[in-house]
């Protein structure tokens, strides 16, 4: 496999081949999305849930 074959990906919406450094698909114009675990909202929600869990556990254990 040559080095250029790894840099070609498929658009998840229309299936058009595009280079991995492109942000939008040249065929349909859709933007490439990051996986959910690489988005900031996911990590913010995870931290908020962990902080809430720690707070609740500390209140329960102090009784």
């Amino acid at each position: 496999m040559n080095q250029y074959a790894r840099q070609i990906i498929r658009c998840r919406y229309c299936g058009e081949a595009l280079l991995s450094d492109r942000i939008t698909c040249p065929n349909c114009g859709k933007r490439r999305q990051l996986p959910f675990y690489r988005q900031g909202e996911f990590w913010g929600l995870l931290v908020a849930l962990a902080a809430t869990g720690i707070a609740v556990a500390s209140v329960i254990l102090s009784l």
Side-chain angles (χ1 to χ4, degrees), residues 8-60:
I8 296 175
I9 59 172
R10 295 269 178 202
C11 175
R12 80 185 329 181
Y13 301 104
C14 68
E16 179 74 22
L18 61 138
L19 294 175
S20 60
D21 61 348
R22 293 287 307 249
I23 302 222
T24 59
C25 175
N27 187 34
C28 65
K30 295 281 189 174
R31 292 181 61 89
R32 226 177 53 209
Q33 262 190 327
L34 291 174
F36 73 93
Y37 55 86
R38 293 192 62 196
Q39 293 180 357
E41 294 87 9
F42 172 75
W43 291 104
L45 181 63
L46 198 63
V47 167
L49 286 174
T52 304
I54 291 171
V56 169
S58 67
V59 167
I60 290 174

